[in-house]
Amino acid sequence: MRALVYHGPGAKAWEEVPKPEITVGTDAIVRVDTTTICGTDLHILKGDVPVVTDGRILGHEAVGTVESVGRGVQTVKPGDRVLVSCVTVCGTCRFCREGHSGQCLGGGGWIFGYKIDGTQAEYVRVPFADTSTYPVPDGVPDEHILMLADILPTAYEVGVLNGGVRPGDVVAIVGSGPIGLSAITGARLFSPSHIVAIDLADSRLEAAKRFGADITVNNRTDDPLEAVRSLTGGLGADVAIEAVGVPATFELAVELSRPGGRIANIGVHGEPATLHLEEQWIRNITITTGLVDTYSTPTLLRLVTSGQIDAGRFITHRFALDEFDEAYDVFARAGETGALKVVLSR
Ligand SMILES: NC(=O)c1ccc[n+]([C@@H]2O[C@H](COP(=O)([O-])OP(=O)(O)OC[C@H]3O[C@@H](n4cnc5c(N)ncnc54)[C@H](O)[C@@H]3O)[C@@H](O)[C@H]2O)c1
Ligand SMILES: [Zn+2]
Ligand SMILES: [Zn+2]
């Protein structure tokens, strides 16, 4: 089969590799029908994630058709159309039982395209197939379901639910990439009074408006603190969501929050950020962090299936499976191309 193989920083190739086989009774082999590229794949390609070594097949998001299953698989069968999520669920460890499979101790968690071969391939081996896949409902395009493999549960769990968004809240979201836009989508389900989207790129702020932010602030030219304070009688946001992953945006999210407010960090950080406890100790704030667990995937599947969430809005570009070079190029130059999610289908 063919797959997109990582060959060290800056090097990848769509090349012939052995087709995966069932290695444990709980595995399934899934034919990839649709896959996509995540910002994390770009980090890996830059060499920022040394766990990923030469020869690894990239990708952690897919919708596909089950080709074969191991003897221990009970609910998934050949021919089933399934969502392959970025988080694999062993189902039996302490964290899986508590709904925190992102921290799985039994060999799951985020492993695709990281610790094991991933989904940017014609076929993928899916461990713990019963607990790590979701049936694709009829009548919804595969590419819409694909948005549930990573961005929608990530922003919903780590941003919206960790941040405790409630009706009437003023929600400030720093970063309007796919994750920030997913956070807008999830926050809207709770009827906030205002969603303030903050980004350096006007193209991303236009997308934020389309996704439902009623106020947008370009923090290159305008002061987001001023914007949020003028909405809240000087207090600040009830919930501030960080969806970028650099020190400045974490520090901004903390500043944006009101006394007693909640700050939900989603961004993956590579450098230390400063928590100004000399200012914050007295403000009763709550800060949360997290890796997605995917406990919300069944809920989000219902919301996408019923049309409450329009997952198709994220898709800006479509390619064939063998066009990974073009797809990565368009995705990596999102500022110029306007790319949000690029979809590759067989
Ligand atoms: N916690 C998790 O489980 C999890 C899962 C997936 C992704 N993430 C992380 O979420 C973050 C966002 O992901 P994405 O795919 O949307 O990324 P992205 O790079 O597409 O979007 C980031 C946005 O932030 C904006 N930005 C950059 N610097 C800024 C600044 N100083 N002020 C305001 N805006 C700024 C950019 O213009 C861009 O629109 C990344 O750090 C990603 O690694 C976390
Ligand atoms: Zn991802
Ligand atoms: Zn587990």
Side-chain angles (χ1 to χ4, degrees):
M1 71 157 187
R2 293 205 156 240
L4 191 78
V5 182
Y6 174 72
H7 288 301
K12 60 171 170 21
W14 176 250
E15 64 190 32
E16 199 63 32
V17 296
K19 195 174 162 183
E21 290 173 1
I22 287 168
T23 56
V24 186
T26 45
D27 288 348
I29 303 299
V30 173
R31 186 191 77 186
V32 174
D33 296 327
T34 307
T35 184
T36 178
I37 305 171
C38 175
T40 306
D41 298 321
L42 300 182
H43 278 297
I44 293 171
L45 270 170
K46 276 192 216 142
D48 292 348
V49 189
V51 171
V52 183
T53 47
D54 189 352
R56 177 65 67 231
I57 298 172
L58 295 173
H60 50 263
E61 301 156 272
V63 170
T65 308
V66 177
E67 202 194 50
S68 57
V69 297
R71 271 180 292 126
V73 175
Q74 293 180 333
T75 58
V76 176
K77 55 183 190 315
D80 285 356
R81 291 170 57 243
V82 291
L83 165 66
V84 179
S85 171
C86 64
V87 165
T88 300
V89 179
C90 88
T92 54
C93 78
R94 170 190 166 176
F95 287 123
C96 282
R97 283 169 180 242
E98 291 176 351
H100 296 302
S101 299
Q103 310 293 330
C104 179
L105 299 167
W110 172 37
I111 54 174
F112 285 124
Y114 177 50
K115 294 180 180 166
I116 68 167
D117 283 336
T119 55
Q120 292 173 3
E122 289 180 321
Y123 294 87
V124 60
R125 181 180 72 88
V126 179
F128 307 112
D130 280 327
T131 40
S132 304
T133 62
Y134 303 82
V136 172
D138 290 333
V140 187
D142 284 1
E143 60 181 29
H144 291 200
I145 299 300
L146 182 64
M147 301 299 116
L148 291 162
D150 183 348
I151 58 168
L152 282 170
T154 293
Y156 188 63
E157 294 174 12
V158 185
V160 177
L161 296 183
N162 279 359
V165 175
R166 288 182 295 215
D169 278 354
V170 172
V171 181
I173 300 177
V174 187
S176 297
I179 293 287
L181 297 172
S182 298
I184 295 173
T185 304
R188 278 180 60 85
L189 298 167
F190 294 87
S191 303
S193 58
H194 295 286
I195 296 179
V196 185
I198 299 153
D199 201 293
L200 297 169
D202 285 330
S203 60
R204 287 282 165 94
L205 291 171
E206 281 156 28
K209 278 226 165 92
R210 290 200 303 278
F211 277 73
D214 54 311
I215 297 157
T216 58
V217 182
N218 186 323
N219 56 328
R220 200 185 296 282
T221 50
D222 292 303
D223 181 3
L225 275 174
E226 166 96 33
V228 169
R229 285 178 181 161
S230 70
L231 271 179
T232 54
L235 285 180
D238 299 293
V239 181
I241 296 176
E242 198 283 344
V244 184
V246 299
T249 49
F250 172 77
E251 290 160 26
L252 174 61
V254 174
E255 274 190 293
L256 286 168
S257 108
R258 67 162 165 83
R262 300 174 298 281
I263 299 120
N265 179 84
I266 314 177
V268 173
H269 290 263
E271 289 171 50
T274 305
L275 174 61
H276 287 284
L277 268 183
E278 75 282 10
E279 293 162 6
Q280 298 299 329
W281 71 270
I282 199 169
R283 297 181 75 244
N284 297 25
I285 56 167
T286 303
I287 299 176
T288 59
T289 69
L291 172 71
V292 61
D293 290 311
T294 66
Y295 63 81
S296 71
T297 304
T299 302
L300 293 167
L301 265 166
R302 289 196 302 280
L303 288 163
V304 167
T305 307
S306 66
Q308 299 292 316
I309 289 179
D310 176 4
R313 287 202 286 210
F314 291 97
I315 301 159
T316 53
H317 298 77
R318 292 177 178 80
F319 298 92
L321 262 192
D322 59 0
E323 294 177 320
F324 270 107
D325 277 344
E326 296 89 324
Y328 263 90
D329 179 57
V330 164
F331 184 68
R333 292 188 298 108
E336 296 147 62
T337 61
L340 295 176
K341 283 301 260 185
V342 304
V343 163
L344 299 101
S345 305
R346 72 164 53 230

